[in-house]
Amino acid sequence: MPTVSRTFSVSPMPHQVIDYLKDFGNAVEWDPGTQRCTRTDSGPIGEGATWHNVSKILGVTAELTYTLESLGSGNLVFVGKNKSSTSTEKIYVDAANTGSVITYRNELEMHGPIALFNPVLKLYFEKLANDTEKQLTSVLNRLPIEEKK
């Protein structure tokens, strides 16, 4: 199972980061692989909210249904599923002197014959994690800075 993790700092406070990231539709702005991400339910965003995500991975279009499995004041867990894979994205947000420290972890479980490609996928996801860190840092640092709550 390919797993990647990155830890980095951003300027916004943790509550701002969580408020922004809990809407997985924003993944089109910060996830380089995401092409479209549309909410499939309605109402306030909370645990159980769902999105249809279309990503391009190694030139292949992948469509997953993502669910916000866990929403806390300092963490989020999204689980995306289709018949060939399960992607678990865990995001931890801690307060820092000048904003937030984020740990982003993606665990990808492949199902069926595609699991044979896990070593190649691991290399690809390491590069994608680097790109995601850069893009996510840039997007979050564009949020207006609020004072600590």
Side-chain angles (χ1 to χ4, degrees), residues 55-122:
S55 295
K56 190 157 257 185
I57 299 170
L58 292 170
V60 176
T61 299
E63 297 188 36
L64 290 91
T65 299
Y66 273 88
T67 302
L68 178 54
E69 295 285 333
S70 176
L71 171 61
S73 61
N75 63 60
L76 301 154
V77 177
F78 293 97
V79 177
K81 296 181 179 181
N82 65 19
K83 66 181 181 177
S84 61
S85 65
T86 300
S87 176
T88 303
E89 301 192 33
K90 299 177 180 179
I91 304 169
Y92 304 94
V93 184
D94 294 304
N97 288 337
T98 58
S100 303
V101 174
I102 298 172
T103 299
Y104 172 84
R105 181 178 173 90
N106 189 334
E107 302 165 357
L108 183 65
E109 181 180 354
M110 305 309 292
H111 310 294
I114 197 163
L116 296 172
F117 296 99
N118 277 344
V120 173
L121 290 172
K122 171 70 172 167

